[in-house]
Amino acid sequence: MTKPIKAGRRTVTGVVTSDRMDKTLTVLVERKVQHPVYSKIIRRSTRLHVHDERNEGHVGDTVTVEECRPVSKTKSWRLKSVDQRAAVA
């Protein structure tokens, strides 16, 4: 029996800032919002803990993550795809 496809999962794109934990990434997601009083565009950021089952993501990679059921106390997102690899120096 196959699993039904879950519709309506939120996806966001961000940059991996840490891959030190096993099967977990820390992803920085930035968005631009308008200041309510001064109307200037400002940047807001959120750090997400992301479940990475195969340890595919590394620091500097641009990744897409999707919302899922809680995997642990802080992880409620899972890695969907690695969009762009970091440049190897």
Side-chain angles (χ1 to χ4, degrees):
M1 185 173 161
T2 60
K3 287 185 176 181
I5 297 172
K6 303 271 183 168
R9 302 261 180 173
R10 276 198 307 170
T11 60
V12 292
T13 302
V15 178
V16 177
T17 57
S18 173
D19 63 351
R20 292 182 181 198
M21 298 172 275
D22 185 33
K23 297 186 180 181
T24 304
L25 301 174
T26 302
V27 177
L28 182 70
V29 177
E30 285 192 340
R31 64 189 187 282
K32 292 180 181 178
V33 296
Q34 190 174 24
H35 190 280
V37 175
Y38 300 113
S39 300
K40 180 179 178 176
I41 302 297
I42 54 178
R43 292 186 308 172
R44 294 284 183 212
S45 62
T46 305
R47 289 187 189 277
L48 303 173
H49 286 127
V50 177
H51 185 64
D52 180 10
E53 186 65 35
R54 298 185 198 100
N55 289 320
E56 296 171 347
H58 299 288
V59 174
D61 292 351
T62 301
V63 296
T64 299
V65 297
E66 71 177 352
E67 200 172 29
C68 66
R69 66 180 180 80
V71 179
S72 69
K73 181 180 176 181
T74 59
K75 286 198 293 189
S76 294
W77 295 82
R78 91 169 61 107
L79 182 68
K80 188 172 184 182
S81 64
V82 178
D83 300 333
Q84 185 177 2
R85 294 281 180 192
V88 179

